[in-house]
Amino acid sequence: MKILIKANYILTMNEKDEVIEDGAVIVENGKISKISKISDIENENVDYIIDDRPNILLPGFINTHTHIAMVGFRGFADDKDLMDWLNNYIWPAENRAVDREFIRIASLLAICEMIRTGTTTYNDMYFFEEITAEISREIGIRAFLGEGLIDFPTPSFKNPEEGLKIVKSFIENYLNDEYIHPTLCLHAPYSCSKDLILRGYEIAKKYNIPIHMHVAETKSEIEIIKNKYGLTPVRYLNSIGVLNHKFISAHSVYLDDEEIEIYKNHNVSVAHNPQSNMKLSSGIAPIVKMLRKNINVGLATDGTASNNNLDMIDEMRSCSLIHKVHLFDPKVVSAKEVLKMATIYGAKVLGIDNLVGSIEINKKADLITISLNSFHLMPIYDPYSAIVYSANGLDVSSVLINGRILMEKKELTFIDFEEVKYNAQKLKEKVIGSL
Ligand SMILES: [Zn+2]
């Protein structure tokens, strides 16, 4: 199918930061085949036209750290310290309520929310990821998925040994999939033994897949790891040789300059979760320093139990604002820079910037439009500013992934809202029923 998309502004997010006014993109066989002015393309023969102007066309958002099925715990335990939140609420509730049915319903709800708000790729760590993979593939959203390895029993495995088996078979099932990219997920340095981390690292190396881990998220983690190994988390991981260009470090809130240098030297990527870090009072990650050193920093929402939504526009705004006030510098993390974090930098974090993350000929057509037809988006002086500082996820109008139209004019094309809503009620029943 040949699709023509018209836009008042195209933010290409390419290396030259090109913006095309009154532009058009042609999508053929899932890829971008033409980018030009509307006036130069008007006579082109196409099968379908998407025209939701007034609008902005840009690459889909890339959420570099999620636990999507945690939508089932959205608002379940707010306003707690991270360790209290994990030990006394989330982990016990997960162990009682999370099963295959929970993951099926929650993954579908979360994917609907992500597509509705413009996310076209996500990087997830959770349980029963084979179910999340099936649903992601069926709908057609790009997903990096890995079963979260951890020392103690989880809803999907009784011990790490069993977890490693699940991980290996998942990797082999999806090694060359168009939509599903297996990852090796280690929960955190404080919840995974050195042996588990090293075994995970070997598997990731063997299959050449990313390692995804929570690192240096809170002050208490720093103390725990220092007491146990005599080193900070980053120095500890470096000392055992697991940091490399495929390592995706979620959070990285507590890093000193030398540790940032370690990340730089090993080409480690960072998934920055400002809202989760704010909500759990974890701290503010030094991403401005990292960005200045050209470390790949992507944006992420984390799970919805600590956010509480998967809206990347909301996340961009928080990200930009928190660093401005923290550094007393309104120039840092500009609208354009944070939009890069949510698109092309995210693609670099996941190692797929040759495929997605910008609007360029031959890249995959993972594209979204933002409707400007709302009071809060008038007038438009600068399209980057409009998206980051004025818009929200519900302003996303059309979404294509791999050239397939998953939303047009704010209507999901693949599922009925009422069906998702009906099933979503069951999540709360499951959680409450398990208490
Ligand atoms: Zn997380």
Side-chain angles (χ1 to χ4, degrees):
M1 183 147 98
K2 194 170 174 185
I3 303 168
L4 166 65
I5 311 166
K6 297 182 180 180
N8 296 87
Y9 302 91
I10 300 176
L11 306 187
T12 64
M13 309 311 288
N14 67 10
E15 266 188 16
K16 294 185 199 149
D17 295 333
E18 276 174 294
V19 176
I20 302 166
E21 284 189 39
D22 298 315
V25 163
I26 287 186
V27 172
E28 269 175 290
N29 303 320
K31 288 185 175 175
I32 297 163
S33 64
K34 211 174 237 182
I35 308 160
S36 71
K37 285 275 192 188
I38 293 177
S39 50
D40 297 333
I41 228 165
E42 211 100 64
N43 297 325
E44 190 99 16
N45 255 332
V46 294
D47 303 307
Y48 196 77
I49 296 172
I50 295 177
D51 185 0
D52 52 11
R53 289 176 293 174
N55 68 354
I56 302 170
L57 175 65
L58 68 155
F61 300 127
I62 296 174
N63 191 340
T64 53
H65 175 70
T66 60
H67 315 282
I68 65 162
M70 288 186 91
V71 291
F73 298 106
R74 192 193 324 258
F76 160 72
D78 296 320
D79 311 327
K80 317 270 182 223
D81 284 328
L82 175 71
M83 289 304 168
D84 177 33
W85 180 75
L86 280 176
N87 290 319
N88 301 319
Y89 295 89
I90 295 299
W91 284 340
E94 280 179 342
N95 281 323
R96 288 189 298 257
V98 173
D99 57 14
R100 290 169 182 277
E101 192 196 15
F102 182 99
I103 297 291
R104 183 164 287 116
I105 298 169
S107 295
L108 178 62
L109 173 63
I111 291 168
C112 289
E113 182 187 351
M114 287 193 287
I115 292 172
R116 178 66 191 84
T117 53
T119 291
T120 52
T121 298
Y122 70 101
N123 180 30
D124 199 66
M125 174 196 306
Y126 209 55
F127 310 116
F128 300 112
E129 289 282 10
E130 74 276 8
I131 295 170
T132 306
E134 267 171 41
I135 298 169
S136 299
R137 195 201 232 175
E138 205 178 296
I139 292 171
I141 185 168
R142 239 175 266 288
F144 284 67
L145 304 175
E147 197 78 10
L149 289 166
I150 196 161
D151 285 339
F152 47 79
T154 75
S156 53
F157 56 82
K158 288 198 261 332
N159 52 52
E161 211 59 51
E162 213 177 288
L164 286 164
K165 269 189 206 149
I166 294 173
V167 164
K168 275 189 211 158
S169 82
F170 181 83
I171 294 170
E172 283 176 1
N173 277 346
Y174 286 103
L175 209 46
N176 291 309
D177 198 85
E178 173 90 41
Y179 289 98
I180 308 302
H181 302 256
T183 61
L184 196 293
C185 290
L186 293 158
H187 181 263
Y190 60 86
S191 55
C192 295
S193 67
K194 191 188 283 183
D195 176 62
L196 183 58
I197 294 173
L198 290 172
R199 290 175 73 187
Y201 173 78
E202 286 307 320
I203 294 172
K205 207 168 84 176
K206 179 180 167 196
Y207 294 102
N208 194 28
I209 59 170
I211 300 175
H212 179 191
M213 190 177 201
H214 297 97
V215 180
E217 181 176 0
T218 60
K219 267 189 193 148
S220 66
E221 174 184 338
I222 307 299
E223 291 315 310
I224 293 168
I225 300 300
K226 267 189 183 169
N227 286 336
K228 210 168 168 186
Y229 303 106
L231 294 166
T232 58
V234 171
R235 288 183 178 86
Y236 159 62
L237 293 172
N238 191 31
S239 76
I240 61 172
V242 297
L243 298 179
N244 63 21
H245 70 289
K246 291 252 174 196
F247 194 102
I248 301 165
S249 166
H251 301 295
S252 302
V253 173
Y254 291 96
L255 260 63
D256 58 32
D257 289 351
E258 201 183 295
E259 290 171 304
I260 292 174
E261 208 53 48
I262 292 173
Y263 273 14
K264 174 74 191 160
N265 291 339
H266 293 281
N267 284 314
V268 170
S269 292
V270 172
H272 177 44
N273 305 258
Q275 289 195 353
S276 172
N277 296 157
M278 281 193 265
K279 187 156 184 282
L280 293 163
S281 288
S282 302
I284 301 172
I287 61 139
V288 173
K289 281 185 181 176
M290 298 181 199
L291 288 165
R292 283 183 185 147
K293 287 202 170 286
N294 289 323
I295 290 172
N296 291 331
V297 182
L299 195 65
T301 59
D302 210 349
T304 56
S306 62
N307 189 301
N308 293 357
N309 63 45
L310 297 165
D311 180 346
M312 287 288 282
I313 295 183
D314 195 28
E315 200 71 37
M316 284 195 288
R317 185 163 187 247
S318 298
C319 179
S320 177
L321 300 184
I322 186 83
H323 294 288
K324 289 179 197 305
V325 70
H326 177 56
L327 298 172
F328 296 105
D329 184 355
K331 299 184 291 303
V332 299
V333 193
S334 66
K336 193 191 283 182
E337 184 156 48
V338 79
L339 202 47
K340 285 184 183 177
M341 288 172 64
T343 54
I344 188 67
Y345 292 174
K348 285 182 181 171
V349 167
L350 300 176
I352 51 168
D353 50 308
N354 59 328
L355 298 177
V356 298
S358 59
I359 300 184
E360 295 180 68
I361 304 282
N362 277 331
K363 274 202 171 181
K364 302 277 187 186
D366 287 16
L367 304 168
I368 65 173
T369 65
I370 309 252
S371 168
L372 299 175
N373 215 12
S374 289
F375 298 129
H376 63 283
L377 291 165
M378 296 172 191
I380 302 293
Y381 294 102
D382 172 358
Y384 296 104
S385 161
I387 295 171
V388 174
Y389 300 130
S390 307
N392 63 65
L394 297 182
D395 294 315
V396 175
S397 173
S398 297
V399 175
L400 287 86
I401 303 178
N402 236 2
R404 286 184 56 217
I405 303 166
L406 297 182
M407 184 164 81
E408 191 177 358
K409 294 186 176 160
K410 303 190 179 185
E411 293 289 335
L412 297 180
T413 58
F414 59 93
I415 201 159
D416 179 53
F417 176 74
E418 291 301 324
E419 187 187 329
V420 183
K421 190 171 116 184
Y422 173 77
N423 280 317
Q425 306 303 327
K426 291 187 199 159
L427 293 171
K428 184 177 167 187
E429 286 164 25
K430 265 180 141 5
V431 173
I432 299 296
S434 76
L435 296 178

